[in-house]
Amino acid sequence: PNPNNRRRRTFSGKPGVPLPLAQDPVADWLGLGENALDTSRLLQLQVNTNQFGRTFEDRTHTFMVMERPADVPMDRRIVNLNVRGRRGNIVQVYPSVEYDFIPSELSVPVGTLLHFQWTGSDANNNNNAGNGRAGTDRSNLVQVQSRAETIPLPWEKQTLLFDARANPNDPEGKALVDRFAYLDQDKIVTCDPETNDQNSETNCKQLNG
């Protein structure tokens, strides 16, 4: 209830002087006693001061809600498609989950706008299972032919980010496919297509850039 004030506080009640946070404090919190010497209505609060001030599995996140772009009509629907979960096996990521899209299934009509959103990390546990540079957490997006396939479609057959068959010479469409797949890594590092070092920042095949 007080996210900005989670450190030690004082209890207010009987007696009138605020009590510092104490181990299992006892007082007439409700003020039901006849006087200050009446001990017939004492209650003990179950407080373990060893546990106060500690945070367990802090899942606090900060995010920003952006205004609708000026060139998007107010009646145009925008659907947010996220990547949830983090790198690691099901035991390592608990209480989170392994990678998944959310919503996991999405069907949208023509004219609906998709807003793809995810984040990465350079502070994941080094020993967590997964591919790529230890301690990193990356996601990309490529289109496949069907749910039974695991091989990305060539850009000439893409229909998700742009209709390649209808617009085979669309440079913006091809650039979108490239950006979602490679995450603009070559703008940050000099990618080395020859290296197979899983922990090399230049191994862009593993999204290490």
Side-chain angles (χ1 to χ4, degrees), residues 67-69 71-81 102-116:
E67 293 186 6
R68 176 184 290 261
D71 58 346
V72 176
M74 293 302 296
D75 60 350
R76 183 69 64 87
R77 184 183 179 212
I78 302 176
V79 176
N80 198 28
L81 180 63
I102 185 168
S104 56
E105 294 193 24
L106 182 61
S107 178
V108 294
V110 174
T112 296
L113 301 180
L114 288 180
H115 179 207
F116 294 96

Side-chain angles (χ1 to χ4, degrees), residues 156-203:
E156 300 96 333
K157 298 182 179 180
Q158 297 279 320
T159 58
L160 176 61
L161 299 175
F162 83 114
D163 190 345
R165 293 178 179 175
N167 302 286
N169 298 315
D170 182 0
E172 293 184 1
K174 185 177 180 180
L176 269 181
V177 174
D178 184 273
R179 186 176 189 185
F180 273 82
Y182 288 98
L183 309 181
D184 289 338
Q185 295 176 91
D186 49 5
K187 295 181 180 179
I188 303 172
V189 301
T190 301
C191 296
D192 181 1
E194 301 300 323
T195 184
N196 291 312
D197 181 355
Q198 183 162 289
N199 284 302
S200 171
E201 290 187 357
T202 63
N203 187 353

